[in-house]
Amino acid sequence: MKSSQFSFQWLLLMVIFVSTSFHANGLKLRPRLGRIRRSRILEQKDSNHGFETFFYNQTIDHFSYGPESYQTFPQRYVINSKFWGGGNSPILAFLGAEAPIDDNIQLSGFTYENAHQFKALIVILEHRYYGKSVPFGSRKAALKNARHRGYFNSAQALADYASILLHIKDKYNATHAPVIAIGASYGGELATWFRLKYPHVVIGSLASSAPILYYGDITPWTTYHSVVSKDFRDTSEECFQTIKKSWSEIDNIASKPDGLAILSKKFKTCTPLKNTTELKDGLDTVYSEAAQYDTPSNIPVKRICNAIENAPNCGDDILCKIAAGVVEADSLEYDGNNSRCYINEDRTGDESDEGWEWQSCSEMVVPMGKDKNSMYQPEPWNLTKYIKNCKEQYGVSPRPSWVLTYYGGHDIKLILRRSTSNIIFSNGMRDPFSRGGWVKTYHFFDLSFSQDLNLGSHCLDLDEAKKSDPDWLVQQRKTEVKIMQGWITQYYDDFKAINK
């Protein structure tokens, strides 16, 4: 299809908050990348950025040969050739995750700011079933039909990306251009798995905050909320204890006549609370997003704790203090505008929530729960209940072990040593997802590399550079660029050697 100039104001780069998705029937899902802020790079009034949108005629089903599998749909991708050196110069491919190109992390500041060093073509790929890359006519029709939902999975998405990248290489006469995949969170998982499954398409991957080991029994189900708790406890013991005591106080007030009405007023909820679960899940989201995106520039955990500890006119009222923390968390997202309602904002119809709910109920089953050692009320992981709720919602049972069967995960050290090279795993250790990632620095003849940012947060290394960035973050990005440059140099040397 004919290309059109890409709208810069709608290309958003960095996710700062996580949305904990849960269904009305009690189905709790893995937190996903959700809310976003604009990047100062693409807000600039510069028409020379050179982003263009294209659509590729994509196959519905890459893995069967039935009549329906030959159907196609238009899949969106974005190209920036501003820095490209032409010919077989490198391609940096940012892999779309669970949101449209317009409001996801489809292009990171890191990718844009370093493309000139590689003389690289930037390609941004939209994940099937999100944004404008929806088969079967509409998102509603695609997700409502059980047969159509079956084509909505990571394996199909990776095959999509391989098909588009090979198409681009052919279109630009860049058959032998080295491709490096870049992804964040679920996109980082895709970048890892892309390198595993399609080494002939991509020479290396940068997987930022990719929880590839958060499946099956590899990572304990307590881990995510344990790290959230640790972040708060390390920041303030008083804050930690106030939060820990708040849950029973919520139950105590809720047990009184008009207790839910009292809680709704105290927390200024968007609609009257129907039960305490609504409030507790909302508070869980506040604390989780603060920990997951506890960046050095915003320090949300510290700011929330300061608000809790210094809440005016609260005295010994624990929930008054907690409500002050909620207001502070909201101000971080909305630039100090605290006039909104809180906690149970209506997100009905959010396509990322709907899409991720299906993905979490099919293959992306991440065990998560809370034990008594955290700052939460105990809530053990219950796979039986999880499967039951998913089956009630979609009519099919999740496949909790499929990710490990298809991509691997156990004995990853041996797998990477013997079968795969050139993957950078970066993790911010204040990020609760980091413990489900590869967090050990390990070199296989300089082929695979993991870097832990001890003070870093979720996908922080892929954000655009700022003058206020600490030295360790600046060095982290430089290290990643150096490693990627090494991959490209080795690729060209190998190419020359076999084509003498």
Side-chain angles (χ1 to χ4, degrees):
M1 297 180 65
K2 186 177 180 180
S3 68
S4 61
Q5 186 66 28
F6 194 80
S7 176
F8 300 114
Q9 64 267 33
W10 294 111
L11 181 58
L12 306 173
L13 300 178
M14 185 60 196
V15 179
I16 59 168
F17 286 111
V18 62
S19 174
T20 302
S21 178
F22 60 93
H23 192 266
N25 63 12
L27 170 62
K28 291 182 70 68
L29 307 177
R30 158 182 163 178
R32 67 166 182 84
L33 299 180
R35 300 174 184 172
I36 43 81
R37 65 179 168 85
R38 298 181 186 275
S39 164
R40 53 187 177 78
I41 294 176
L42 295 183
E43 282 187 334
Q44 295 173 357
K45 305 298 183 180
D46 182 357
S47 60
N48 296 320
H49 280 303
F51 289 94
E52 290 183 293
T53 298
F54 299 86
F55 289 87
Y56 177 74
N57 202 32
Q58 189 63 265
T59 302
I60 290 284
D61 183 9
H62 298 282
F63 304 108
S64 69
Y65 295 87
E68 190 177 53
S69 69
Y70 285 91
Q71 294 183 33
T72 60
F73 69 96
Q75 186 165 14
R76 183 165 54 157
Y77 64 97
V78 175
I79 285 182
N80 184 317
S81 58
K82 179 178 180 180
F83 308 107
W84 191 46
N88 288 318
S89 295
I91 296 173
L92 299 181
F94 199 94
L95 307 187
E98 71 278 27
I101 280 177
D102 308 291
D103 61 357
N104 197 358
I105 190 174
Q106 303 302 328
L107 176 68
S108 72
F110 174 90
T111 307
Y112 185 88
E113 291 171 347
N114 290 289
H116 71 281
Q117 298 190 54
F118 300 103
K119 296 183 179 179
L121 184 74
I122 301 173
V123 179
I124 309 163
L125 302 163
E126 187 165 66
H127 196 294
R128 59 166 55 199
Y129 287 76
Y130 292 106
K132 294 183 179 180
S133 301
V134 181
F136 304 110
S138 72
R139 180 168 54 91
K140 183 177 180 180
L143 292 178
K144 186 176 181 181
N145 186 297
R147 184 179 181 89
H148 294 170
R149 282 197 308 266
Y151 302 114
F152 186 4
N153 58 67
S154 62
Q156 297 282 6
L158 292 178
D160 290 343
Y161 295 160
S163 298
I164 294 176
L165 287 170
L166 292 176
H167 163 74
I168 290 172
K169 292 176 76 170
D170 181 65
K171 177 181 177 180
Y172 282 81
N173 295 316
T175 304
H176 302 294
V179 179
I180 293 178
I182 300 173
S185 196
Y186 169 51
E189 292 177 290
L190 293 174
T192 302
W193 298 333
F194 200 31
R195 176 61 182 155
L196 286 167
K197 295 294 187 181
Y198 294 90
H200 58 290
V201 176
V202 58
I203 69 162
S205 292
L206 169 54
S208 180
S209 300
I212 58 170
L213 304 180
Y214 223 134
Y215 299 93
D217 59 354
I218 298 178
T219 300
W221 54 261
T222 58
T223 300
Y224 185 91
H225 288 94
S226 293
V227 176
V228 175
S229 300
K230 183 179 186 301
D231 288 349
F232 275 83
R233 190 164 213 165
D234 288 348
T235 300
S236 165
E237 179 68 26
E238 178 184 344
C239 179
F240 173 91
Q241 293 297 340
T242 301
I243 293 171
K244 192 174 181 69
K245 295 173 183 176
S246 68
W247 311 109
S248 59
E249 186 63 19
I250 290 172
D251 291 334
N252 180 47
I253 292 179
S255 67
K256 299 178 179 179
D258 298 323
L260 290 177
I262 294 171
L263 291 172
S264 297
K265 182 178 180 180
K266 185 178 288 287
F267 285 93
K268 198 179 178 183
T269 59
C270 296
T271 58
L273 293 169
K274 299 182 182 67
N275 50 58
T276 57
T277 300
E278 277 189 286
L279 177 56
K280 291 176 181 179
D281 283 340
L283 293 173
D284 183 353
T285 298
V286 168
Y287 305 140
S288 295
E289 65 187 18
Q292 189 163 317
Y293 295 98
D294 197 28
T295 64
S297 58
N298 289 324
I299 52 174
V301 172
K302 184 175 181 179
R303 289 177 60 174
I304 290 172
C305 280
N306 285 342
I308 289 174
E309 293 172 8
N310 301 300
N313 306 316
C314 284
D316 295 328
D317 188 338
I318 290 176
L319 296 190
C320 176
K321 297 178 181 181
I322 296 297
V326 171
V327 172
E328 179 62 22
D330 188 81
S331 72
L332 287 166
E333 182 179 359
Y334 291 96
D335 298 323
N337 179 9
N338 299 339
S339 61
R340 302 173 59 259
C341 58
Y342 310 107
I343 296 299
N344 55 357
E345 181 180 2
D346 183 14
R347 293 178 61 85
T348 303
D350 182 286
E351 66 175 283
S352 291
D353 281 354
E354 291 180 356
W356 193 242
E357 185 175 90
W358 162 251
Q359 289 192 264
S360 297
C361 260
S362 51
E363 59 176 343
M364 299 295 163
V365 180
V366 175
M368 282 191 179
K370 306 156 189 170
D371 66 4
K372 64 180 180 180
N373 296 319
S374 74
M375 66 183 189
Y376 299 90
Q377 283 183 317
E379 186 181 355
W381 166 249
N382 188 327
L383 178 59
T384 301
K385 181 180 178 181
Y386 188 96
I387 292 174
K388 178 178 180 291
N389 288 337
C390 285
K391 191 171 183 179
E392 289 175 353
Q393 177 70 4
Y394 293 107
V396 294
S397 296
R399 297 179 180 175
S401 300
W402 179 243
V403 165
L404 299 180
T405 300
Y406 191 67
Y407 299 114
H410 290 287
D411 300 319
I412 189 172
K413 187 174 180 179
L414 180 62
I415 292 170
L416 294 178
R417 173 185 284 273
R418 293 301 181 191
S419 64
T420 305
S421 63
N422 295 11
I423 302 176
I424 299 172
F425 297 102
S426 64
N427 289 280
M429 298 308 287
R430 290 185 70 79
D431 172 19
F433 273 130
S434 65
R435 307 312 194 270
W438 180 244
V439 295
K440 296 179 181 179
T441 301
Y442 192 81
H443 291 261
F444 313 118
F445 311 104
D446 292 325
L447 296 178
S448 291
F449 174 85
S450 175
Q451 180 66 37
D452 308 331
L453 309 180
N454 290 327
L455 300 176
S457 56
H458 199 62
C459 309
L460 180 61
D461 55 326
L462 296 189
D463 196 3
E464 73 267 23
K466 304 178 185 65
K467 292 182 179 179
S468 60
D469 286 338
D471 291 342
W472 53 262
L473 179 56
V474 174
Q475 185 58 47
Q476 163 71 7
R477 294 182 179 128
K478 288 181 178 179
T479 300
E480 291 173 355
V481 169
K482 182 178 180 180
I483 292 171
M484 292 162 66
Q485 287 174 330
W487 295 344
I488 293 169
T489 298
Q490 187 63 57
Y491 170 84
Y492 286 138
D493 289 345
D494 292 343
F495 183 79
K496 291 177 182 178
I498 66 174
N499 286 280
K500 286 183 178 180

